Amino acid sequence: MGALFARFLDAHPDVESEVHGEQMTDEQDALWTAFSAELLRRHQAERSALADELEAELRRTRGP
């Protein structure tokens, strides 16, 4: 996520991420949300798949 945010900052030099106490504007936050959406979707899918695997493993070890 850090590398992705660095790419976002390169693409949006008007975002001041290093200023203490400052936050992104609503517009900048919307840009970041759109920029990072694919990675977020992938992470959610990976977590869901892992949860499914863990549940299946628990069912196997507990038995019927």
Side-chain angles (χ1 to χ4, degrees):
M1 191 61 91
L4 183 65
F5 192 65
R7 289 198 320 262
F8 172 76
L9 293 176
D10 286 344
H12 301 90
D14 58 316
V15 175
E16 296 288 338
S17 70
E18 301 298 321
V19 178
H20 180 69
E22 293 296 315
Q23 295 183 2
M24 289 190 285
T25 65
D26 290 342
E27 180 181 330
Q28 292 168 337
D29 189 51
L31 288 170
W32 166 245
T33 298
F35 194 87
S36 61
E38 179 57 36
L39 181 62
L40 178 60
R41 278 191 293 276
R42 192 174 80 223
H43 283 176
Q44 289 171 331
E46 289 171 357
R47 283 192 301 270
S48 179
L50 180 58
D52 290 345
E53 286 181 40
L54 292 172
E55 286 180 25
E57 185 176 320
L58 283 173
R59 283 192 297 274
R60 283 191 302 271
T61 59
R62 288 183 185 160

